[in-house]
Amino acid sequence: MSLKQQPVSYQTALNNIKNKPRCGFAFAALVTYKELNLSSDLLHKISSEKSDDKERNITYQLNSKVVTAVVSNAETKQLSEPVMFVFRHVEERAESEGVAYSCVYWDDTEGAWSEEGCVGAWSNSTHTVCYWSHFSSFAVLMALYPVQDSFDLVLITQVDLALSLVCLFLCILTFKFCHSIQGTRTSIHLHLSICLFIADLVFLCGISSTLRYNEVACAIVAGLLHFFFLSAFCWMLLEGVQLYRMVVLVFHTTLKHLHMYLVGYGVPLVIVIISAIAFPKGYGTKRLCWLSLDRYFILSFFAPVCIIVILNGFVFIITVWKLAKKFSSLNPDLSKLNQIRSFTVTAVAQLCVLGGTWIFGFFLFQEKGTEVMLYLFIILNTLQGALIFILHCLLSKPVRMEYYSLFVRMCPHKKKAKYRISTSQTNSSQKPLRSDGSTAESQM
């Protein structure tokens, strides 16, 4: 805030007072109250007295020690020149869209903090400078404003997540009803798509239902997101293990469904239950229905994710190394090895997108999450559903043939073309695909 006159320091103002003709002596004192905190009742009184602040859910917090300035001169209500006070913030927090600092003094007549007499102020993340035209008990009051997402961000979030939900829904239908690709690997993709679909749906509908509206509902939303996102990573770990078994082991290359369910759903459930028992208030924040940053509760999600990503990366490295050795052998089964290699490439791409999403998601859910992080998180989150649909459905020849067959059945006028193609492909392409592709897929 610009000043009409050049401010002077406290010592200069004191000298001006002392230079005035008087008898006797003069004194000055600064008293700091280290343990004085603003009571919750008084904070509620400040916010409730301002109807606009109450409607906008603005909260106030004392962010400096209270300092009382006293001089012997009784006439200190209107100084000829302003006095500068520099306050150090108790909580270091830069002034931004959601935070504002105010220089206030304690008004005994009103029984509240007041800004009257502050002729200038300036703040950064650590200090606030106040210029006062009188002496009293001073402090810095921090106003916390609820951060409102812009219309563009809300629209992009809804559109992109809706697109991801459509792609994941198509993946679920394909993996469930496409008979030519049924197998262990397809089952893993099915449950991975289901977990991401439910997580994205809950994220879209309930991430903004903060504690201010419904504490229980917000905690449930955070718990569901915690469970299903962890479950998605566990199913990706299972895919890496399955690919490793296909390359390294000759026999018994399939995983039992019971074991997959215990890892894919049991491990995340145990983590969520332990986390909820250890810190039940960690589910839900004032800003988002997600895991709290208090007591490092957020690590109950990011620590397992980091472990899974590292394990999967290690498994993929060994898988690629074993594949290279098999390709260089004397009599390699090229058709099967090429198929496994393509499976490995798609699995690595899938891991990179999902893991990369939560690298930006980690910064997004911090208190200082930026719009750039939000854009990157939304884009990568959208790519999850689209990538799974492209890699495992559109780029799969058996799936494309199933899509074409469905399209022909829905369009009767295309039957002749269908019969021509099917008769030419039955003897050439479909039969080898059954002997090679389905056998490998059934082992997955």
Side-chain angles (χ1 to χ4, degrees), residues 161-442:
L161 285 179
L163 176 61
S164 181
L165 288 172
V166 171
C167 292
L168 289 171
F169 182 72
L170 293 175
C171 290
I172 293 172
L173 294 179
T174 301
F175 299 144
K176 180 66 177 176
F177 299 107
C178 187
H179 299 289
S180 60
I181 61 171
Q182 293 304 309
T184 303
R185 184 167 173 267
T186 302
S187 298
I188 293 174
H189 292 158
L190 173 62
H191 291 282
L192 171 63
S193 300
I194 291 174
C195 292
L196 288 177
F197 180 86
I198 297 176
D200 285 349
L201 185 61
V202 174
F203 187 96
L204 181 62
C205 299
I207 190 68
S208 299
S209 301
T210 60
L211 291 174
R212 297 194 304 269
Y213 305 111
N214 192 319
E215 183 175 351
V216 176
C218 186
I220 293 174
V221 168
L224 290 174
L225 291 175
H226 191 193
F227 172 77
F228 283 107
F229 278 127
L230 276 181
S231 185
F233 277 95
C234 288
W235 284 104
M236 282 205 309
L237 177 61
L238 287 170
E239 182 177 13
V241 173
Q242 174 62 18
L243 289 173
Y244 172 80
R245 291 170 64 89
M246 290 176 61
V247 174
V248 176
L249 302 180
V250 180
F251 303 103
H252 306 293
T253 58
T254 59
L255 293 170
K256 293 183 178 180
H257 283 76
L258 178 60
H259 296 165
M260 291 194 300
Y261 294 149
L262 289 176
V263 175
Y265 295 116
V267 172
L269 183 61
V270 170
I271 294 175
V272 171
I273 291 175
I274 294 175
S275 302
I277 294 174
F279 188 36
K281 293 184 179 180
Y283 287 101
T285 67
K286 293 181 179 180
R287 183 185 172 194
L288 296 169
C289 290
W290 182 235
L291 308 186
S292 173
L293 300 178
D294 298 337
R295 295 168 56 175
Y296 301 101
F297 188 72
I298 193 70
L299 293 180
S300 63
F301 174 75
F302 283 104
V305 166
C306 291
I307 294 173
I308 291 173
V309 170
I310 293 173
L311 286 176
N312 241 358
F314 182 71
V315 169
F316 288 147
I317 290 174
I318 295 179
T319 302
V320 172
W321 176 55
K322 292 290 185 180
L323 270 176
K325 290 182 65 177
K326 287 183 178 291
F327 271 110
S328 60
S329 61
L330 294 177
N331 297 309
D333 188 351
L334 293 178
S335 60
K336 185 176 180 180
L337 291 179
N338 284 326
Q339 191 177 37
I340 297 176
R341 182 176 60 181
S342 65
F343 292 162
T344 305
V345 172
T346 56
V348 172
Q350 183 177 270
L351 176 66
C352 292
V353 171
L354 189 57
T357 299
W358 285 104
I359 291 176
F360 298 105
F362 176 79
F363 296 104
L364 169 64
F365 293 116
Q366 302 294 317
E367 292 294 331
K368 298 180 181 179
T370 62
E371 289 189 3
V372 175
M373 295 298 175
L374 180 57
Y375 279 114
L376 292 173
F377 178 80
I378 293 172
I379 292 172
L380 289 177
N381 199 35
T382 305
L383 286 177
Q384 292 176 15
L387 182 75
I388 293 175
F389 180 68
I390 293 172
L391 293 179
H392 302 311
C393 295
L394 295 184
L395 295 182
S396 174
K397 188 174 181 180
V399 174
R400 290 201 307 270
M401 293 178 64
E402 291 279 354
Y403 286 165
Y404 178 78
S405 178
L406 178 63
F407 174 74
V408 169
R409 287 197 298 268
M410 294 176 60
C411 303
H413 62 278
K414 298 289 185 179
K415 282 187 177 181
K416 292 183 179 180
K418 177 238 179 181
Y419 288 140
R420 291 196 207 101
I421 295 176
S422 61
T423 53
S424 61
Q425 290 182 346
T426 300
N427 297 326
S428 59
S429 62
Q430 288 185 356
K431 201 167 184 179
L433 211 131
R434 289 282 181 178
S435 60
D436 295 334
S438 62
T439 302
E441 185 66 32
S442 64

